[in-house]
Amino acid sequence: MVHKKIENRTISVLTWEFRACLKDIPDNLIFHLKRFDFNLRTMQRSKINDYFSFPTKIDMRPYTIDYLSDPDTPGPEDIFELVGILVHSGTAESGHYYSYIRERPSSGSAETWIEFNDDLVSPWDPETMEASTFGGPDFRYDNNGIVYDKNYSAYMLFYQRSNTLRTDEETMSVPLKVDIPAEILDHIRNENTYILRRHCLFDPNHAVFVRRIFEHCVVHSGACSPEHKAEKAAMQAALGHLDQVVSRTKDIPDFVDYHDMLAKAVKNCPSCALGLFRYFRDRHESFRTLVQRNPEQLVRADSGDLLMQAVATIKRRLPEVYGVVEDALGQDDADGWVHTQDVVVAQVPHIFDTLWLAFHIHLRSWNEVFGIMLRFARLGELETVVLLNSDLLSRMFRIIQADSSIDLAPNYQRMMTNLLRRGLNRPPNYENVIALADHLMSVLQPILGPDSIVEKADTRLLMYCHGETSPAWTSTEVLTAHQEWTTNPGSSIFVSKLLEINQSLQATDNIMQRLVRANRQLALKVFQTLRGNITGQMLQGHSNAPYLRAAIACCKASDDDDTVLRMLTHVIAQCRQLNNTEGRAFLEFFQKMYGAPSPGAAVSPWSIFFNMTAQIPKWTPYLLGYYDGEVRWQTDEFLQRAIFDYGVAPVFEPEAGGERRKEVLISAARELGLNALVFLRDHFIQRRVHVAKDMVFPLQRVVAKASAYFNLEPDEPGPDQEFAQMSQSKPLSFFFLFFFFFNLRLVRADFEHHC
Amino acid sequence: MNTDFRRFILAATIRDGVNQKLLYQTQKLFASMQESIRRFVDPYLVVNSIKTYDDTLIDIHNQMDVDEFYNLLFDRWEFQLPNPDDKKVLRSFYGGELVQQVKSKECEHVSERLEPFSAIQCDIKGKGTLQDSLQAYVGGEIMEGGK
């Protein structure tokens, strides 16, 4: 016993020795390196990053109780080999674990190690073991002489007894598999199949494979079988593949083949057609993805075409499935029919409704989306009414009419935003929007009145079934067409926007004509809009051509002479101060508007014709002197055909205008001559402008031709004298000398030929 | 690889999916690692069936000591094994037995106590190699007490 003196007291001290040693070591031995330290004073955990090495092989016998009890008797070694290292990177609070594990049994002669780091598995070179796992100072990053400890190092070590390793190596077969409970194994195998199928799905050969199956079942076997079971399955597979894979593969290499194959099937076989229709009827989103959202125009157009082809075949070959309305017309069960949802013709609009939900987002596919609707409408009157019933016409109107200055419903507002984002240079394709509007309008009641307007769109199908063959307008449709610009009262926003879009010209003209014929109020509004937008002035960003063109159609549709004449007068007035570059459009207006009515026509066309003839001298000089040579020459031609071809003494049959026509003609020729001279004098001579001969030549020609209608040596004052004086005046005659006589002879020769 | 351990887990009988949830999920995990063609398997289902000693689920955002986690995991596995024999077998894969010796300097008496261990705790501080650490482990400590 030991005695110690502490604070004046004598204490006996007892000493104990504690130690631990190993008795039974498992084949798989784990060492836990105590790198996390808890400081009792600060109550903080900290990590010890000190350098700590470990061997690839270690003899554990020296640490067993057997050895320690009798160290002088050496026993057999108990060698363990390093097979796994768990590394911690980070701090006591947070970090990341990853492992290095030795492959056992080894796949070759050398040891191979693998790094397992979450989902990343890669080969690891054990030569880097010290650098990667022993920790200690990191000499690579020497910031101004300060060396930091690596924050990553081994944390747990796994050793395996050597002789078991050897045994394993001899007995284990590769791949190493143990038995798995049946239920779990089945589940994994099914999942594997699914993964594999998904992987193969995008293999280029898969598309070919599915196509061949379809061709085998449907195309090659001639006619489809009555039961249609294999064909139906093939159709489902082909459509599913088209939808999910073929239409989305870069460069769409298989799409055309698929389309052609399916198109042929739905054209020839009503069951195939029905199968295709039902596939998309039950999968609106798939259809939408193909037709509205696919970036390839071909995919959008052809997919829509497939569906409509199928619908057409069903209509033709399976009318009861399609929906035959004749049975319902005028009978009591008309109401029942209208609400029937089973028939194909009633299901199609639901697909269109799904497309409609996103029309304002996908502007680039408008042509294809509305193209399908148009194609459906063109199948017949019933289809047109069905679409009117789902308010499609007012939607088309509102698309056309939309402008930032008016109150718009949210989806139209978003459409405007997207339109602006596209930029003015890249307007969307309105062709089918307008064509569809035109087609839908074509069945409506032609005259707008209290009897031909209803409140809601969806009463029209019911009325149709009750025998009302010409649907009424809805108040929304009427209001949209009527709505006026706040900055320009009396002018229709719809008309302006329609003409500014300037697409689908024939359909546009049709629409314009219907509006003119609908009622007087609307007609007035139309013409006022036109007049307001036809100007000789040079306006930035404004084009007269669409309005001039529409004006022709509207004049032809109008039965009100005053309106037509007022339009003519307006255009003529603009022509007389033509400062913009649209001479051709103005000329074209007159070229198209002017023409003798057919023999025996009513009074009204003749009166307009005479009026137009009389007005020829008012505008032609301006176009004869226009800067664009093509316009000058064409005006010259116009005058030749309209006036000079008839000569100085034409004779017209009574049905062809008679004496009145002759008078008007001659009077016009004379006025023309005078006006041409005045124009020359005012624009070229008095201004003393130097111009190319080409510029004045047409005017001079006309003067020369007109001279035949004058007495050039008159006795008394009057127009003839005026003409003679002006044409012979010094400055003018200087121009004319040669041309005058030369052309006079030409003109005379023409006359003799005519008379 | 420790295929014996894998085999052992996969052969365990599952009768009660609720109370043997961890064991079952472990079976599925091992089976997937062996049989699945996936590139990796996410063990979240296994982790979600481990309850801490406070009977709550593990918070994966909290860094846990590996030794602590290891012991918890083995405890839970052991608890869910149906047979008492299986429990012993589980412990035999990775654990062993050590001896705690106390020797008094005053007399020749040595007392020994057998204790199971799952992993050998190695000191890092002041030790540069594994052998140094093990030497210290079995080297013992001297403690004094006064009267």
Side-chain angles (χ1 to χ4, degrees):
Chain A
M1 198 159 317
V2 175
H3 293 274
K4 283 194 176 167
K5 261 201 158 62
I6 299 170
E7 292 181 311
N8 277 341
R9 279 147 99 246
T10 305
I11 302 170
S12 318
V13 176
L14 297 165
T15 313
W16 290 270
E17 205 186 311
F18 286 84
R19 67 121 175 257
C21 51
L22 304 176
K23 182 165 161 60
D24 184 26
I25 306 179
D27 287 336
N28 300 287
L29 181 60
I30 304 175
F31 294 104
H32 174 213
L33 308 183
K34 287 155 74 174
R35 285 193 177 277
F36 288 112
D37 197 27
F38 193 74
N39 188 324
L40 283 160
R41 216 165 31 83
T42 63
M43 297 301 263
Q44 289 265 351
R45 290 222 305 182
S46 65
K47 186 177 171 193
I48 304 169
N49 288 309
D50 296 6
Y51 184 93
F52 187 86
S53 75
F54 42 89
T56 51
K57 282 189 163 87
I58 186 170
D59 179 11
M60 286 306 288
R61 180 162 159 83
Y63 313 101
T64 60
I65 180 112
D66 290 346
Y67 175 86
L68 290 163
S69 316
D70 188 9
D72 301 317
T73 313
E77 287 179 323
D78 193 6
I79 306 289
F80 283 76
E81 293 177 37
L82 180 67
V83 294
I85 311 168
L86 175 67
V87 180
H88 178 268
S89 156
T91 67
E93 260 65 59
S94 88
H96 181 55
Y97 289 102
Y98 51 93
S99 316
Y100 299 117
I101 304 178
R102 198 176 110 190
E103 255 193 289
R104 292 155 289 145
S106 45
S107 43
S109 51
E111 263 177 33
T112 49
W113 286 72
I114 302 177
E115 174 180 340
F116 289 84
N117 192 335
D118 283 350
D119 63 321
L120 297 171
V121 176
S122 52
W124 182 65
D125 181 5
E127 294 295 311
T128 67
M129 197 178 295
E130 178 181 7
S132 312
T133 66
F134 289 2
D138 192 346
F139 296 106
R140 288 177 304 166
Y141 300 105
D142 199 324
N143 299 319
N144 308 319
I146 302 170
V147 176
Y148 291 94
D149 279 344
K150 301 171 189 169
N151 72 352
Y152 52 91
S153 52
Y155 181 57
M156 264 181 149
L157 304 171
F158 294 76
Y159 284 82
Q160 187 173 355
R161 192 170 263 126
S162 275
N163 53 25
T164 63
L165 268 169
R166 297 290 87 74
T167 317
D168 283 350
E169 214 129 287
E170 276 143 37
T171 58
M172 279 183 191
S173 58
V174 178
L176 293 149
K177 296 230 178 197
V178 303
D179 290 339
I180 294 178
E183 174 229 335
I184 296 177
L185 186 60
D186 274 347
H187 173 83
I188 296 173
R189 288 210 172 130
N190 286 338
E191 197 186 64
N192 284 349
T193 308
Y194 174 79
I195 293 170
L196 190 66
R197 273 163 60 193
R198 277 205 72 80
H199 180 80
C200 290
L201 193 65
F202 297 98
D203 185 284
N205 291 309
H206 196 95
V208 177
F209 170 58
V210 173
R211 177 162 64 81
R212 293 245 173 89
I213 291 178
F214 186 88
E215 283 170 358
H216 181 79
C217 290
V218 178
V219 175
H220 291 149
S221 60
C224 286
S225 70
E227 308 82 37
H228 218 254
K229 274 174 84 175
E231 292 89 345
K232 182 175 175 188
M235 172 71 77
Q236 294 281 314
L239 287 175
H241 212 68
L242 178 79
D243 170 18
Q244 300 288 317
V245 182
V246 169
S247 62
R248 302 180 198 210
T249 309
K250 185 161 150 17
D251 301 330
I252 45 167
D254 304 286
F255 182 78
V256 173
D257 287 337
Y258 267 69
H259 168 261
D260 291 350
M261 160 183 103
L262 289 164
K264 194 164 159 204
V266 301
K267 194 157 160 228
N268 296 326
C269 168
S271 299
C272 282
L274 196 56
L276 187 141
F277 174 75
R278 284 185 172 151
Y279 181 91
F280 289 117
R281 176 203 64 187
D282 297 338
R283 293 168 186 80
H284 288 190
E285 273 308 308
S286 296
F287 188 66
R288 188 167 93 79
T289 305
L290 282 167
V291 172
Q292 190 169 47
R293 296 174 57 201
N294 196 292
E296 296 285 341
Q297 194 273 341
L298 183 69
V299 172
R300 298 196 301 262
D302 281 1
S303 305
D305 166 74
L306 268 180
L307 185 72
M308 283 303 118
Q309 180 67 262
V311 169
T313 303
I314 296 168
K315 177 172 181 173
R316 200 173 67 241
R317 305 274 296 267
L318 300 169
E320 335 72 49
V321 176
Y322 186 75
V324 178
V325 80
E326 278 78 27
D327 302 336
L329 274 179
Q331 288 179 12
D332 291 335
D333 53 347
D335 295 13
W337 188 94
V338 166
H339 297 293
T340 303
Q341 295 304 303
D342 289 353
V343 290
V344 168
V345 75
Q347 291 165 351
V348 172
H350 294 144
I351 302 178
F352 294 165
D353 282 343
T354 302
L355 295 176
W356 176 253
L357 289 174
F359 86 93
H360 53 287
I361 303 169
H362 304 286
L363 271 53
R364 75 174 165 192
S365 56
W366 274 5
N367 215 37
E368 290 76 43
V369 166
F370 298 121
I372 305 179
M373 298 184 192
L374 180 58
R375 195 155 156 199
F376 178 67
R378 284 188 176 145
L379 286 176
E381 208 175 61
L382 171 64
E383 290 83 355
T384 308
V385 176
V386 162
L387 289 183
L388 279 168
N389 206 52
S390 36
D391 210 19
L392 195 56
L393 181 58
S394 88
R395 289 172 179 172
M396 294 303 103
F397 274 12
R398 281 152 76 181
I399 288 180
I400 293 167
Q401 192 223 21
D403 185 81
S404 354
S405 68
I406 56 178
D407 262 340
L408 296 171
N411 50 354
Y412 293 95
Q413 255 177 30
R414 293 206 25 214
M415 177 190 81
M416 285 306 298
T417 310
N418 289 331
L419 273 171
L420 290 168
R421 201 178 282 151
R422 273 176 84 100
L424 295 164
N425 298 332
R426 213 167 58 96
N429 194 328
Y430 284 88
E431 298 272 339
N432 284 329
V433 173
I434 299 173
L436 186 53
D438 173 29
H439 178 89
L440 292 171
M441 274 178 95
S442 68
V443 302
L444 292 179
Q445 300 243 3
I447 307 296
L448 255 183
D451 294 335
S452 55
I453 304 181
V454 291
E455 200 44 52
K456 282 155 62 79
D458 60 5
T459 54
R460 294 194 274 200
L461 181 57
L462 186 60
M463 289 164 68
Y464 180 77
C465 292
H466 279 288
E468 193 61 64
T469 46
S470 224
W473 298 62
T474 64
S475 45
T476 312
E477 286 155 9
V478 175
L479 286 169
T480 309
H482 268 91
Q483 193 174 358
E484 298 177 15
W485 293 100
T486 45
T487 50
N488 196 352
S491 203
S492 156
I493 305 178
F494 177 74
V495 170
S496 309
K497 299 298 271 187
L498 175 62
L499 294 177
E500 265 165 39
I501 290 169
N502 205 28
Q503 295 179 29
S504 246
L505 301 183
Q506 182 58 59
T508 300
D509 284 352
N510 293 344
I511 294 173
M512 296 296 295
Q513 290 183 326
R514 283 197 206 95
L515 293 176
V516 165
R517 290 189 190 114
N519 69 16
R520 181 152 175 78
Q521 189 199 9
L522 197 46
L524 284 175
K525 208 170 274 197
V526 167
F527 279 102
Q528 178 157 343
T529 314
L530 290 172
R531 283 195 306 272
N533 281 289
I534 294 173
T535 173
Q537 294 311 306
M538 172 77 100
L539 284 181
Q540 183 76 293
H542 177 79
S543 174
N544 288 292
Y547 293 92
L548 284 164
R549 203 207 65 249
I552 299 167
C554 290
C555 286
K556 295 208 164 118
S558 173
D559 58 1
D560 179 14
D561 289 356
D562 287 340
T563 308
V564 175
L565 288 172
R566 191 172 164 195
M567 174 59 76
L568 273 165
T569 309
H570 174 82
V571 179
I572 289 170
Q574 297 311 307
C575 231
R576 292 159 71 86
Q577 7 166 20
L578 205 52
N579 288 327
N580 61 37
T581 57
E582 294 195 77
R584 286 196 207 198
F586 278 88
L587 177 59
E588 210 176 300
F589 174 81
F590 293 113
Q591 284 170 326
K592 295 223 165 98
M593 279 297 286
Y594 187 73
S598 36
V603 169
S604 168
W606 280 110
S607 108
I608 294 189
F609 176 70
F610 292 149
N611 187 300
M612 281 195 79
T613 309
Q615 302 232 54
I616 283 177
K618 300 228 167 31
W619 56 271
T620 43
Y622 294 85
L623 292 187
L624 284 170
Y626 192 66
Y627 78 90
D628 181 351
E630 187 59 30
V631 170
R632 294 197 300 271
W633 289 110
Q634 283 205 23
T635 310
D636 182 70
E637 287 229 328
F638 172 79
L639 287 169
Q640 183 63 38
R641 279 195 313 272
I643 296 184
F644 299 120
D645 273 351
Y646 294 103
V648 290
V651 174
F652 297 106
E653 298 296 310
E655 317 85 68
E659 192 64 24
R660 175 86 204 276
R661 186 170 173 186
K662 173 189 166 177
E663 284 165 7
V664 170
L665 194 63
I666 292 176
S667 160
R670 287 161 61 87
E671 194 181 336
L672 177 61
L674 278 168
N675 286 358
L677 278 171
V678 167
F679 189 92
L680 275 167
R681 181 193 69 195
D682 292 348
H683 284 75
F684 297 113
I685 297 168
Q686 280 186 353
R687 291 187 196 173
R688 296 181 185 277
V689 286
H690 293 275
V691 286
K693 253 204 312 229
D694 217 38
M695 273 294 281
V696 293
F697 192 48
L699 278 158
Q700 291 162 349
R701 255 168 70 95
V702 162
V703 168
K705 291 179 200 174
S707 66
Y709 295 76
F710 286 95
N711 178 356
L712 291 171
E713 271 132 32
D715 312 312
E716 48 213 37
D720 299 68
Q721 197 178 71
E722 204 186 323
F723 182 86
Q725 280 175 351
M726 272 211 287
S727 61
Q728 286 155 19
S729 76
K730 274 263 185 318
L732 272 174
S733 62
F734 180 70
F735 276 142
F736 278 128
L737 230 36
F738 177 72
F739 295 114
F740 184 69
F741 286 106
F742 179 71
N743 288 316
L744 188 56
R745 242 187 257 134
L746 274 178
V747 165
R748 278 256 156 82
D750 285 341
F751 286 163
E752 270 141 27
H753 180 77
H754 267 97
C755 299
Chain B
M1 279 178 277
N2 197 333
T3 43
D4 289 338
F5 181 70
R6 190 201 308 176
R7 190 174 289 114
F8 173 75
I9 293 287
L10 281 165
T13 312
I14 307 287
R15 284 194 203 93
D16 180 354
V18 174
N19 290 317
Q20 288 178 292
K21 188 173 170 210
L22 171 62
L23 196 56
Y24 179 63
Q25 290 299 336
T26 311
Q27 284 185 336
K28 284 190 14 180
L29 178 65
F30 284 6
S32 293
M33 287 171 73
Q34 178 175 298
E35 296 290 336
S36 177
I37 58 174
R38 283 184 192 278
R39 191 167 61 86
F40 63 89
V41 185
D42 189 332
Y44 72 98
L45 285 172
V46 173
V47 173
N48 279 347
S49 2
I50 306 173
K51 287 234 174 85
T52 66
Y53 292 119
D54 298 329
D55 214 30
T56 57
L57 287 178
I58 285 186
D59 177 7
I60 60 166
H61 301 293
N62 201 3
Q63 177 167 281
M64 206 174 177
D65 184 51
V66 171
D67 202 49
E68 196 187 323
F69 178 71
Y70 176 95
N71 288 320
L72 175 63
L73 183 61
F74 266 78
D75 278 350
R76 295 311 192 204
W77 272 333
E78 186 184 324
F79 187 74
Q80 294 190 9
L81 283 167
N83 311 323
D85 294 335
D86 287 338
K87 294 179 203 281
K88 259 179 74 177
V89 174
L90 178 70
R91 288 295 176 191
S92 73
F93 283 108
Y94 291 104
E97 263 191 329
L98 53 80
V99 181
Q100 296 272 30
Q101 274 189 339
V102 184
K103 218 157 76 173
S104 164
K105 263 201 134 166
E106 279 66 43
C107 60
E108 283 304 309
H109 181 69
V110 177
S111 65
E112 286 187 353
R113 196 172 75 234
L114 277 176
E115 243 181 51
F117 70 86
S118 53
I120 297 177
Q121 309 290 318
C122 297
D123 247 349
I124 299 286
K125 263 241 165 332
K127 323 283 186 296
T129 71
L130 182 62
Q131 291 90 328
D132 287 346
S133 196
L134 285 172
Q135 203 54 53
Y137 185 78
V138 301
E141 288 174 72
I142 301 192
M143 290 188 68
E144 290 183 348
K147 231 175 44 173

